Amino acid sequence: VARIEKIMALGNLELRQDLFNSRNRLVPFRMGLLAFADVGRVWVDGRDEHFWHSALGGGLFLSPFNMVI
């Protein structure tokens, strides 16, 4: 039985910018923009790959009742 050894490395960066902050008593919330970047690599015995996988993304966030998102 072959045993697979692997080591992983990853990183994440996330940026948020509030656009609107509602302070009404019924439903307080925050809304804003979100941008992120991810990068990672896996080292597996027997494979000789030398590249990192990366991804970028963004969107809107909504935080009802000003809870942590």
Side-chain angles (χ1 to χ4, degrees):
V1 174
R3 181 180 165 137
I4 298 175
E5 297 289 333
K6 62 182 174 180
I7 300 171
M8 298 183 303
L10 55 100
N12 176 282
L13 174 67
E14 185 174 315
L15 302 172
R16 295 182 189 191
Q17 176 63 50
D18 285 348
L19 294 177
F20 184 75
N21 193 357
S22 169
R23 299 187 192 276
N24 69 44
R25 292 181 186 196
L26 183 60
V27 183
F29 67 92
R30 292 180 336 168
M31 183 174 69
L33 296 175
L34 170 71
F36 63 87
D38 297 315
V39 65
R41 180 174 174 184
V42 177
W43 289 268
V44 178
D45 286 346
R47 300 205 53 184
D48 193 25
E49 297 176 359
H50 299 288
F51 62 92
W52 290 76
H53 300 275
S54 61
L56 299 172
L60 294 172
F61 72 84
L62 181 63
S63 177
F65 305 105
N66 292 324
M67 298 175 68
V68 175
I69 55 173

